Amino acid sequence: DQQVKQNSPSLSVQEGRISILNCDYTNSMFDYFLWYKKYPAEGPTFLISISSIKDKNEDGRFTVFLNKSAKHLSLHIVPSQPGDSAVYFCAASEGNNDMRFGAGTRLTVKP
Amino acid sequence: NAGVMQNPRHLVRRRGQEARLRCSPMKGHSHVYWYRQLPEEGLKFMVYLQKENIIDESGMPKERFSAEFPKEGPSILRIQQVVRGDSAAYFCASSPGEGRIIQYFGAGTRLSVL
């Protein structure tokens, strides 16, 4: 069962523009959502998170938006930089520490 | 290095052999998670352990796979009688637990089955 879905396997944007990565989920009991970034041959690293009681969380160039009614969240990166090129995983948990990941979106930021 | 440590980084096994993957969580973390990433796929949850207890193994294959997190020492993911389909990257993550649900990942072990 794929409770967390990232329908775009890849995204390419120009340096300086906005990158928008999307994620949908099916389990309405999820109450915490996270984004991880992964470079080749490394483990995923935590990027930003949001609790279900909020609809937006911002950290520097990264903003996560949560739309609970649509069961949708997105990660905005602005301005995008070449070093942001990586695979981005969306993850969700139900509060008991179990986490479910999406399949990932490969972001390429072109100089 | 105070991060999550996994070893070995690369492991090559022939079909039918056993694979043992080790994970030392971050200092102070008592919760360990194992994930598998098949080529071109996302991270699949396998098992969640606390010291000496398996909390959730709903993602573990029913046969040949086992995991433990003993009172002393690293967590071990054990795969018996490996097959080619077991070839994947296996990631371990840890968290402090107690409501802090950000998981911190190791660099992974890439298992290749010949």
Side-chain angles (χ1 to χ4, degrees), chain A residues 32-61:
Chain A
Y32 199 70
F33 305 88
L34 307 91
W35 284 94
Y36 282 81
K37 179 167 76 171
K38 185 182 181 302
Y39 293 117
E42 294 183 12
T45 55
F46 170 73
L47 193 58
I48 192 170
S49 63
I50 188 167
S51 164
S52 60
I53 62 173
K54 294 187 175 182
D55 54 19
K56 177 183 175 181
N57 188 26
E58 190 173 352
D59 183 2
R61 297 185 297 112

Side-chain angles (χ1 to χ4, degrees), chain B residues 5-102:
Chain B
M5 301 299 293
Q6 288 187 251
N7 68 82
R9 289 295 309 273
H10 301 276
L11 182 61
V12 179
R13 285 288 178 266
R14 296 190 181 278
R15 281 179 294 172
Q17 291 184 319
E18 178 180 286
R20 293 171 71 89
L21 290 66
R22 296 174 185 77
C23 170
S24 297
M26 284 181 71
K27 188 176 181 180
H29 287 192
S30 57
H31 298 237
V32 165
Y33 315 80
W34 285 94
Y35 296 85
R36 176 166 62 174
Q37 184 180 24
L38 295 169
E40 305 303 321
E41 294 189 14
L43 293 165
K44 300 289 187 185
F45 167 79
M46 298 183 75
V47 62
Y48 161 37
L49 310 104
Q50 295 180 25
K51 284 284 186 181
E52 300 184 281
N53 283 309
I54 297 175
I55 306 301
D56 180 356
E57 55 181 348
S58 59
M60 288 278 271
K62 295 287 185 268
E63 297 176 348
R64 303 187 297 108
F65 285 72
S66 62
E68 62 176 7
F69 189 16
K71 187 176 180 181
E72 301 291 338
S75 176
I76 305 289
L77 179 67
R78 182 180 176 207
I79 311 172
Q80 295 177 291
Q81 300 175 334
V82 295
V83 300
R84 287 223 174 102
D86 297 333
S87 296
Y90 292 82
F91 291 96
C92 168
S94 72
S95 73
E98 300 176 355
R100 298 185 188 179
I101 49 179
I102 296 174

